[in-house]
Amino acid sequence: MTTLQATSPADAGDAIQCTPDGRLRHLLSLRSLPRELLFDILDRAERFLADTSEPAVRSTTLAGRTIANLFFEPSTRTRASFELAAKRLSADVLNLDVSTSSRIKGESILDTMYTLQAMQCDVFVVRDAAAGVPRMIAHAVRDGVAILNAGEASVSHPTQGLLDLLTIRRARPDLESLKVCIVGDIAHSRVARSAAEALTIAGISELRLVAPKALQPEASAFPGATLHSDLASGVAEADVVMALRIQRERIDDAGDIPDPSDYARRFGLSAANLAPASPNVLVMHPGPMNRGIEIDDATADSARSLITEQVRNGVAVRMALLEMVTETHLGLRR
Ligand code: CP
């Protein structure tokens, strides 16, 4: 087991995401988000959660606003939940079809954004395989336009980090007593980075990372976490265990990665592999899942699984964020 140390300060480039009086203007990263604002987002999201037997919560707070979804990498959950979130707040929604957009003809992402900005889009939801794209766009948009990072290379996925923290808090409000373990391809995971940032700001007791040697991260990304190369020590007495898939799309040479059956035996979440965890351990996965590799069916579908809750809470978190940045930008225009 190794304890990871920070080697670089938090990115000052994220200062643009809040106004001088602390309101959310863009969501680029969780790393420098004030604790109070983080919990404000979660509290606002709670208001958008109805009982599952009830219809989804709706409001008209974004009537007249336009949300543009720009997903330059595949997505099911994030894109669908941003679309539903915007529609449930009565916004107009544009889902740019990247495969038929003029980016294919060589148009830059900034020119794409300027084009849609001229059509009076108010919020851009952006996913891209290149690091720094959400921040670059946030610096380029005119006043009154917000950027929400929906997945940035292997760097960050802040809305996922927020929905993961909300899901844990709803199941275990005693956040400061929790031992949380993230298992899998930590090296390439933006989900792990943003979850770690959210959990650290929330003040959990312990964060453990478990990965085979070939998928272990650089130390600076996870200050204060402990790094384990065997699952049993990572999950010992853990209250929450989150599995990640292997991000093969970000790996050039997969030669050192265990093959799927070896990986499942050594790192997959199953009743046997979770035996050292707390008897009440909760299990999470951001999706998409590769069942039978990082998690088996029985565990994914068990009473201890929060995976469906994560998806449900994702819509509420994205409704909260859309409402908050819109309020901020309306305030700036006055
Ligand atoms: N968790 C997540 O980001 O899933 P999608 O890639 O389907 O959006």
Side-chain angles (χ1 to χ4, degrees):
M1 183 190 89
T2 314
T3 300
L4 302 178
Q5 307 290 338
T7 56
S8 62
D11 189 346
D14 289 345
I16 192 177
Q17 74 182 345
C18 289
T19 60
D21 62 349
R23 287 175 296 150
L24 192 70
R25 173 186 240 154
H26 307 284
L27 184 70
L28 305 177
S29 163
L30 300 182
R31 196 147 72 154
S32 57
L33 204 69
R35 180 183 164 89
E36 193 183 337
L37 184 52
L38 179 93
F39 284 113
D40 281 351
I41 297 167
L42 302 196
D43 293 344
R44 172 105 51 146
E46 296 266 9
R47 304 208 313 247
F48 293 118
L49 284 167
D51 192 277
T52 45
S53 61
E54 302 288 326
V57 176
R58 290 172 192 279
S59 116
T60 55
T61 50
L62 263 64
R65 305 280 138 209
T66 303
I67 314 303
N69 282 324
L70 310 183
F71 279 70
F72 299 106
E73 273 196 319
S75 170
T76 296
R77 279 147 287 272
T78 313
R79 178 169 158 157
S81 63
F82 263 115
E83 180 174 352
L84 285 175
K87 286 179 171 169
R88 286 177 186 168
L89 295 171
S90 309
D92 296 331
V93 182
L94 169 71
N95 291 309
L96 188 74
D97 183 347
V98 174
S99 64
T100 57
S101 79
S102 286
R103 264 200 106 188
I104 303 297
K105 301 179 208 164
E107 185 170 66
S108 73
I109 194 164
L110 279 183
D111 281 331
T112 302
M113 184 278 299
Y114 289 135
T115 301
L116 299 176
Q117 182 174 266
M119 297 179 194
Q120 294 179 283
C121 291
D122 299 288
V123 181
F124 290 101
V125 178
V126 181
R127 172 175 287 194
D128 197 86
V133 165
R135 188 169 296 111
M136 175 186 75
I137 298 178
H139 281 279
V141 289
R142 64 171 170 74
D143 285 348
V145 175
I147 305 304
L148 299 179
N149 177 354
E152 176 192 2
S154 57
V155 175
S156 71
H157 193 349
T159 65
Q160 181 73 42
L162 290 167
L163 77 87
D164 289 336
L165 180 61
L166 176 62
T167 304
I168 294 172
R169 189 179 77 162
R170 284 174 63 78
R172 290 289 305 264
D174 55 331
L175 287 173
E176 292 179 10
S177 72
L178 296 183
K179 298 182 182 72
V180 179
C181 176
I182 305 178
V183 184
D185 180 2
I186 310 289
H188 303 99
S189 178
R190 57 193 176 204
V191 171
R193 282 167 177 73
S194 288
E197 288 162 0
L199 292 164
T200 301
I201 295 168
I204 62 160
S205 170
E206 256 186 73
L207 177 62
R208 301 156 182 181
L209 309 171
V210 179
K213 290 273 183 227
L215 299 175
Q216 294 190 349
E218 79 282 15
S220 61
F222 297 93
T226 56
L227 183 59
H228 304 247
S229 43
D230 74 292
L231 186 59
S233 76
V235 301
E237 296 175 22
D239 301 293
V240 179
V241 180
M242 182 190 297
L244 304 172
R245 78 183 169 90
I246 298 175
Q247 311 235 327
R248 293 192 182 275
E249 69 275 24
R250 303 192 201 287
I251 299 172
D252 295 329
D253 176 9
D256 292 335
I257 299 172
D259 67 51
S261 60
D262 187 28
Y263 185 91
R265 184 178 57 76
R266 290 168 54 204
F267 298 101
L269 301 194
S270 62
N273 279 350
L274 287 170
S278 159
N280 301 318
V281 67
L282 298 167
V283 171
M284 301 173 70
H285 193 305
M289 276 188 285
N290 291 298
R291 288 170 178 259
I293 302 179
E294 69 265 13
I295 190 165
D296 68 10
D297 286 334
T299 305
D301 302 330
S302 67
R304 62 174 50 168
S305 169
L306 296 176
I307 295 168
T308 304
E309 289 299 300
Q310 288 174 268
V311 175
R312 202 166 74 89
N313 294 339
V315 181
V317 160
R318 287 157 184 142
M319 288 174 81
L321 291 166
L322 287 169
E323 218 183 54
M324 289 171 84
V325 294
T326 301
E327 285 171 6
T328 301
H329 286 279
L330 285 175
L332 292 176
R333 280 178 198 166
R334 282 192 198 112

